[in-house]
Amino acid sequence: MDRTQGQPGGDSVLRAAGSSATGTGSAGSAGAAAPAAPAGGVTRVVTLTTGDFTLTVNPVDGSEIEPLRPGTGTQRPAKRDPESRASWEAAGRPPALPGSTAPARPLLQREEERERLERLLGRGRSVRLTGPAGSGRSALLDSVAAVCAGLAPDGVVRLSGYGRQQPQELLYALHAAVYEAAGERPDRAELLRRVRDIGAIVLVDDLELGGAALDELLRATPECAYLLAATPDTTAPSEYSHLEEVFLGGLGRAECVQLLETLTGRPLTEEETAWAGDLRFASEGLPLRFVQAAALLRRRDELNHRDAPDEEDEPGVFEGRPREAADVPLPTLAEGAAPAELLASRVSESARAALRIACALGGEMPHHAHLPALVGDTHADAAVAELLDCGLLTPVGPRYRLSSGVARQLEEAGYGDSAAEEARTAARHYAWWTGHASVTPERVAAEADAVLAALAGADVVAAVMLARTAAPALAASLHWEAWERVLRSGAEAARKAGEVAEQAYFHHELGVLALCEGRLERSRAELEASIGLRGALADKRGTVAGRRALALVTDREAAEVEVSPPLRLAAPAASPAPAAPAVPAVAAAPVPNPLARPVAPPAPPVGAEAVTQVVPAIRRPGTAATPPAFSQVFEDAFPPVAKQEPVTVPVPGVARPPAGEPDSRRRTALLAAAGALAVAVIGTVVGLAVSGPDERTPSDPAVSSTPDTDLSADTGTSDPATTPGQGTDGPTAAASDPAAPQEGEPAAEPRPGTTPGPRTTAKGRTPTRNASRPAPGTTAPTSPAPVVVPDPPVTSSSPATTPPTDSPTGPATTESASEAAPSSSG
């Protein structure tokens, strides 16, 4: 009987496939020649409930999803009774193997750890059991489960954490173990509500979670006490998890010898006892190493004929014992520490073929019912029990895997040389098996790890075939983590193989899966890709299914967006009692702007408060009678709003009288007069500045001690054209000019703030031209030198100064002109 799900006829189908493959010697060719489904088989269409949707798994055109119909919402399922819980636990254990003859393995030197774990779990504390691979963690968990069976209301739940790196998958497994919820996968919110009410002792073997993910698992189930078995290289829990730590070490020397004697079935010799002591030191006392060492001793006894009662008896047909006795020595210490190669050389040929398949599948051993078809031997199903007795296999959940370190040792021995061929054979066999109508989705889910391993190592054609048949079965079994991995691998293989139709199917399934899990952006991307590919293939049915799912994505996105109603300011209602107008509260004082235009504020009605009312744009149904005309509908939807007057911004410190009073008119007239006066003053100043050619701003003149000086200092300019030459005739100063200097008197200095007029030199000559001073920053125009008429020589006590031949380049001063003129005195 197939222990995995108890499906009748499953083993007979596999044995028939193995028998048909025996003649050809290759199970892969038989699997490839077999059709994906038997003739006349029915298509497996399964309807599931997930959250607010109804999911119909259709292997032909793709899964169809639609909202739940009104009134069909699922209620919280009932919890399992003891009989249902026992059957579920039996389905989660490794299958019973045919032909197993090894004795039961005792639990040695673990009484102290077991009592401590029982005491902590009885108090409701969660414990993390840490130990290296092969330290006996699974055996200790079995012992604790038997002791703590009646401590919690929901009993003891055994889960496998191997390959589950998300806490959500462990929560779904816990939900399936406690509740009777066949064909239902609740959404995340409903899942958290249900698991919060579970009160059980949960034993998780091969845990791979740690840190924040482990904290999420513990917070989601506050009524559960956990016993988490993990290896030291697993991520440590956070400091807020409040987990008790229990470390599981190796066995002592006496316990190792006792374990060897129990598994061997005889007392050890002195040589074997010494060898066991050395092995204990090399392996740190791990129980798995002594299970393998006991297998080496049993095979050595078989080769030395120690277990045969009569040496003349014929050896068994399948035992492979030699007819003549041979003295086989004890294994060396290196062979005892890494015994995989030596053990594999002493097992049957079917067992070695099974080891090659396990190496090709990444350490996953297929179910023993598949080995006859994969190996090509009708008795190959006994190979799993043979390998388990040798310690080359270890139980992991409902299946078996290669023990720690065995896969590496076998690959170094050459067992992985044919991995590609073995993986392709396994992929074709599983493609035939998963598409068979007699195989239930639960059996496919139990073999999901081996299917995924075969999918990863197969070629693109075999990978597309396997993913196409395994994906609907995994979806129907609610093992959606494996479903997603199969879909992604299938989509990549279909892209490489150029199978556009299969690629569109995988993208459609990924979009439906993302929609069920609430990942709307991912769902839209996958569905749009699928619709585009199916549109290129003119697949109308597939396109319609994709567009229906995409419409649900759009509706869900619109439902999640919060739309705020528009705000409308309605006229405030008049209060019954008159009251003073309320001053509205100012949230933030605005910065005063003196140049802002004054605007009168809106006059509130007498006895009303300034209250802002929110008027919905669309009225609720039933609040008003149905209007008779469209205009009335428009008025109800958009009520008229009173036109508001602009608000006056008050200027601080200035009191403004109301408009229309005499003070306001007088103020306006004064402001107008002030503006006119300012314009007149500005015009007068500008006119005075531009009028009068003789009015200019001189530089600070310097007074020379000589009566005859250079006129450039008087005029304040360095332009030679404006400087009169010596002996130039000009009009004489008017007699009425009091500022004109007299003969022999020095020129008077101008007073500050005044503009000097035309002056006469000591000899009564004035410049012939008065040039205006150039504006700052401009260049004075160049004019020709003036024509001068020489005067008759005049005798003077001081020699006359000779004008400079070159005009200075910078501003000339009296001191520079005097220094430049040569002196004849002395």
Side-chain angles (χ1 to χ4, degrees):
M1 176 181 176
D2 185 11
R3 188 216 60 84
T4 307
Q5 293 296 334
Q7 175 67 24
D11 293 343
S12 60
V13 171
L14 294 176
R15 290 183 181 275
S19 301
S20 62
T22 305
T24 60
S26 174
S29 59
V42 295
T43 303
R44 294 177 298 182
V45 178
V46 181
T47 302
L48 305 173
T49 301
T50 167
D52 299 335
F53 300 105
T54 299
L55 178 64
T56 302
V57 180
N58 186 359
V60 180
D61 299 323
S63 301
E64 300 177 1
I65 185 172
E66 59 182 0
L68 283 175
R69 297 181 180 180
T72 59
T74 58
Q75 303 294 331
R76 175 173 295 189
K79 293 185 178 181
R80 295 182 182 271
D81 53 7
E83 292 78 9
S84 177
R85 190 182 306 163
S87 62
W88 188 90
E89 291 178 359
R93 295 174 184 172
L97 301 175
S100 179
T101 58
R105 301 173 185 176
L107 185 64
L108 302 176
Q109 200 182 355
R110 301 303 185 194
E111 290 78 8
E112 182 180 354
E113 288 84 355
R114 183 179 59 185
E115 293 176 359
R116 182 182 178 186
L117 293 176
E118 179 184 0
R119 183 171 60 255
L120 291 174
L121 293 175
R123 296 176 182 176
R125 302 294 298 274
S126 296
V127 188
R128 186 173 186 262
L129 180 64
T130 305
S135 58
R137 292 177 285 111
S138 300
L140 183 58
L141 259 62
D142 293 339
S143 177
V144 173
V147 175
C148 301
L151 295 181
D154 293 328
V156 178
V157 179
R158 292 289 304 268
L159 300 177
S160 175
Y162 183 83
R164 292 174 175 174
Q165 300 180 356
Q166 299 295 332
Q168 184 175 357
E169 294 302 322
L170 283 176
L171 291 177
Y172 275 113
L174 178 61
H175 174 268
V178 177
Y179 288 97
E180 289 278 1
E184 179 190 1
R185 183 181 174 93
D187 55 5
R188 180 175 176 80
E190 181 63 24
L191 174 67
L192 294 178
R193 284 193 292 267
R194 293 183 184 181
V195 299
R196 187 174 292 274
D197 298 337
I198 297 177
I201 295 178
V202 184
L203 309 181
V204 183
D205 198 1
D206 299 315
L207 180 71
E208 296 186 0
L209 297 179
L214 183 57
D215 293 343
E216 181 180 353
L217 175 66
L218 298 178
R219 286 195 303 265
T221 54
E223 301 298 329
C224 294
Y226 283 88
L227 177 56
L228 309 170
T231 57
D233 56 349
T234 307
T235 306
S238 65
E239 58 182 354
Y240 305 104
S241 58
H242 304 291
L243 286 175
E244 297 286 344
E245 289 284 347
V246 175
F247 184 79
L248 197 62
L251 301 178
R253 180 184 177 90
E255 286 77 12
C256 293
V257 173
Q258 181 181 354
L259 181 60
L260 275 178
E261 292 179 349
T262 303
L263 297 179
T264 306
R266 62 175 179 84
L268 300 180
T269 62
E270 294 182 1
E271 182 183 6
E272 292 173 346
T273 302
W275 177 75
D278 296 339
L279 180 62
R280 187 257 173 192
F281 179 80
S283 63
E284 298 181 355
L286 295 179
L288 178 61
R289 295 291 179 264
F290 287 91
V291 172
Q292 297 170 349
L296 289 176
L297 293 180
R298 290 197 303 268
R299 296 296 184 271
R300 177 174 175 266
D301 293 344
E302 292 178 1
L303 294 175
N304 291 334
H305 289 187
R306 289 186 179 182
D307 56 342
D310 188 0
E311 295 183 358
E312 296 181 357
D313 292 343
E314 290 291 334
V317 179
F318 299 103
E319 293 179 1
R321 287 193 327 223
R323 295 179 179 270
E324 297 181 359
D327 188 11
V328 179
L330 282 174
T332 63
L333 190 60
E335 291 175 344
E341 182 181 0
L342 183 58
L343 287 173
S345 63
R346 296 180 179 180
V347 296
S348 62
E349 183 62 30
S350 299
R352 286 195 291 269
L355 288 177
R356 294 188 183 93
I357 295 175
C359 289
L361 299 182
E364 291 288 341
M365 177 60 66
H367 193 273
H368 63 272
H370 295 280
L371 292 181
L374 292 174
V375 175
D377 186 3
T378 55
H379 300 281
D381 53 350
V384 178
E386 185 179 358
L387 295 175
L388 184 62
D389 294 342
C390 295
L392 297 179
L393 294 181
T394 183
V396 177
R399 63 192 186 279
Y400 293 99
R401 282 183 53 88
L402 293 179
S403 301
S404 174
V406 172
R408 178 181 54 81
Q409 299 172 25
L410 293 178
E411 289 176 357
E412 293 176 355
Y415 281 78
D417 297 341
S418 60
E421 183 65 26
E422 298 292 346
R424 181 164 52 252
T425 301
R428 293 179 179 179
H429 166 75
Y430 279 123
W432 168 83
W433 179 71
T434 54
H436 202 279
S438 63
V439 180
T440 61
E442 289 76 15
R443 295 183 63 193
V444 178
E447 204 73 10
D449 293 290
V451 171
L452 289 171
L455 188 62
D459 60 298
V460 292
V461 178
V464 171
M465 294 172 54
L466 176 56
R468 192 66 171 81
T469 56
L474 292 175
S477 66
L478 297 178
H479 193 352
W480 283 8
E481 184 180 8
W483 182 30
E484 183 176 3
R485 293 174 59 185
V486 166
L487 291 176
R488 295 194 181 281
S489 300
E492 182 65 18
R495 184 188 64 82
K496 293 180 179 179
E499 298 288 343
V500 181
E502 305 300 335
Q503 188 178 0
Y505 168 81
F506 292 130
H507 282 296
H508 175 82
E509 295 295 292
L510 285 172
V512 172
L513 173 61
L515 176 58
C516 294
E517 294 181 349
R519 298 175 293 168
L520 301 182
E521 295 182 359
R522 166 62 66 179
S523 177
R524 174 176 291 278
E526 298 290 350
L527 290 174
E528 288 178 352
S530 174
I531 292 172
L533 294 174
R534 285 178 169 175
L537 297 173
D539 185 1
K540 295 183 179 180
R541 297 180 60 181
T543 303
V544 169
R547 292 192 179 278
R548 287 178 178 175
L550 189 59
L552 290 179
V553 174
T554 304
D555 295 342
R556 183 57 60 93
E557 289 177 346
E560 290 185 356
V561 176
E562 298 181 359
V563 181
S564 59
L567 297 179
R568 297 185 181 277
L569 301 178
S575 54
V583 179
V586 180
V591 178
N593 186 7
L595 300 180
R597 182 180 178 182
V599 183
V606 179
E609 295 182 356
V611 180
T612 302
Q613 298 181 359
V614 179
V615 180
I618 301 177
R619 301 183 184 276
R620 297 181 179 178
T623 55
T626 304
F630 179 76
S631 59
Q632 185 64 27
V633 174
F634 184 82
E635 292 179 0
D636 292 343
F638 303 96
V641 181
K643 184 178 180 181
Q644 299 180 0
E645 296 294 336
V647 182
T648 303
V649 179
V651 178
V654 179
R656 299 189 177 184
E661 294 186 4
D663 292 341
S664 178
R665 293 193 298 270
R666 187 181 303 107
R667 180 185 182 88
T668 304
L670 290 177
L671 289 176
L677 181 59
V679 171
V681 171
I682 293 174
T684 303
V685 173
V686 172
L688 292 176
V690 299
S691 63
D694 296 333
E695 296 177 359
R696 52 189 177 272
T697 304
S699 303
D700 295 339
V703 180
S704 177
S705 59
T706 59
D708 196 5
T709 57
D710 192 2
L711 293 179
S712 61
D714 298 338
T715 58
T717 179
S718 61
D719 192 358
T722 59
T723 305
Q726 185 178 3
T728 302
D729 295 336
T732 59
S736 61
D737 189 1
Q742 301 298 327
E743 185 74 18
E745 293 181 1
E749 295 183 2
R751 290 175 297 176
T754 61
T755 303
R759 294 179 297 174
T760 307
T761 60
K763 294 183 180 182
R765 294 186 300 270
T766 59
T768 57
R769 294 179 59 188
N770 289 332
S772 60
R773 187 178 181 178
T778 59
T779 305
T782 304
S783 59
V787 180
V788 297
V789 179
D791 292 338
V794 178
T795 302
S796 175
S797 59
S798 60
T801 59
T802 304
T805 57
D806 297 331
S807 60
T809 58
T813 59
T814 305
E815 288 80 6
S816 62
S818 302
E819 292 175 359
S823 176
S824 60
S825 62

